[in-house]
Amino acid sequence: MPGDDSADRKHAPATLRNRGPIAEVLQGELPVTGKVLEVASGSGEHCAFFAQLFPGQVWQPTDPDSGALGSIASWCAGLDNVLPPLALDATSADWPVHAADAVLCINMAHISPWEATLGLVAGAERLLVKGAPLILYGPWRREGVKTAPSNEVFDASLKTRNPLWGLRRVEDLDTAADARGFARSRLVEMPANNLMLIYRR
């Protein structure tokens, strides 16, 4: 497997802070067994951590960036319940995975064009059976809820890097999910002004 050399590993400092709280929510949302497809796995640190916490699931990490695939493979080396990472572009209608029992996406929506999130929901519709969860984590805007100042600063910095990036509205995701037959079953407020959003059909 490429990336077994630890020199290939990338590190996302936020992972160490948010992986515990995310895992607490996942414990109540993931099926006891089955395949969990992680879209936009990034460094691979989340996948490696969750795979050890939830050995009953088979984890399929993915990312569109070839450099990330080596990092994911390195972090997950030796974990029997993690499949080799795959290249997956959420905006594409042609995914390399054709079925999953849960889809998880952490911190993608705000650092990609909105089309990537629309593609994520469309992909989840193709892959998930009725009742299986689509789970997203990250900073979001909400109607009637004031956005934290730190998130406003973050949003501005994202837009300077790429005008197509930025914080998204929960209500817009609800609309996109509804168009694909999903309804939001749970919203969980997380540390550092983040949210976990769970959708099911």
Side-chain angles (χ1 to χ4, degrees):
M1 180 185 295
D4 287 346
D5 187 340
S6 61
D8 289 330
R9 291 184 182 180
K10 301 178 187 297
H11 173 55
T15 304
L16 297 177
R17 299 190 295 270
N18 62 34
R19 63 185 187 179
I22 292 174
E24 289 182 17
V25 178
L26 292 180
Q27 188 169 26
E29 298 293 340
L30 293 179
V32 176
T33 59
K35 179 186 287 186
V36 180
L37 170 64
E38 186 184 18
V39 176
S41 299
S43 67
E45 293 167 275
H46 277 130
C47 186
F49 181 73
F50 298 146
Q52 293 173 80
L53 279 184
F54 305 108
Q57 286 94 12
V58 174
W59 292 78
Q60 177 61 77
T62 69
D63 203 273
D65 177 29
S66 59
L69 298 179
S71 179
I72 296 165
S74 179
W75 280 106
C76 297
L79 297 175
D80 293 338
N81 62 328
V82 180
L83 300 172
L86 298 173
L88 187 153
D89 177 0
T91 64
S92 172
D94 184 18
W95 285 18
V97 180
H98 303 291
D101 299 287
V103 173
L104 172 65
C105 185
I106 297 172
N107 284 333
M108 180 194 81
H110 57 285
I111 54 172
S112 61
W114 179 237
E115 287 72 21
T117 299
L118 296 178
L120 170 71
V121 179
E125 180 191 21
R126 295 193 299 270
L127 270 60
L128 296 176
V129 298
K130 186 175 181 180
L134 166 62
I135 305 169
L136 295 89
Y137 168 91
W140 292 81
R141 296 185 183 278
R142 275 189 289 169
E143 191 76 33
V145 179
K146 187 175 181 180
T147 305
S150 60
N151 277 356
E152 292 289 8
V153 172
F154 184 41
D155 180 63
S157 70
L158 288 171
K159 286 182 167 62
T160 61
R161 292 166 60 189
N162 189 322
L164 297 178
W165 295 2
L167 271 62
R168 312 300 181 184
R169 297 173 68 252
V170 171
E171 293 76 18
D172 291 337
L173 180 58
D174 287 348
T175 299
D178 179 71
R180 296 288 181 174
F182 288 93
R184 175 157 47 89
S185 60
R186 193 177 175 197
L187 180 153
V188 185
E189 295 189 1
M190 303 293 284
N193 304 305
N194 289 292
L195 298 174
M196 284 192 76
L197 305 170
I198 296 91
Y199 294 84
R200 297 176 186 269
R201 289 192 291 175

